[in-house]
Amino acid sequence: SDVCSSDLIAATEAGIAKGVTDADDAKLRLGIAYLGAGQRPKALDTWKSITAGSVPAQLAVLWRLQK
């Protein structure tokens, strides 16, 4: 539901802002949450901010293929 998606997005954004062990993984998950909430442009922007060549970046490429 939209409420669950917004809560997940808010919590993930707060975690990234606070500092996480693996920011790229957190950004991958944030992008997935955006996509699930119907916010594809935000998902794409978030995935573009992941360190190139990392495993999360490679997974983000696959998530970009989702419509």
Side-chain angles (χ1 to χ4, degrees):
S1 81
D2 289 340
V3 173
C4 291
S5 295
S6 353
D7 291 346
L8 177 59
I9 290 168
T12 307
E13 289 173 335
I16 291 170
K18 185 176 180 181
V20 292
T21 305
D22 188 344
D24 287 337
D25 183 61
K27 290 175 186 177
L28 174 66
R29 294 171 189 272
L30 178 58
I32 294 168
Y34 280 136
L35 189 65
Q39 299 179 40
R40 185 173 176 76
K42 281 189 174 184
L44 296 175
D45 287 344
T46 300
W47 290 329
K48 286 178 189 173
S49 71
I50 297 174
T51 305
S54 66
V55 172
Q58 294 170 3
L59 292 171
V61 169
L62 298 175
W63 275 101
R64 281 188 203 110
L65 299 175
Q66 295 291 329
K67 295 187 180 192

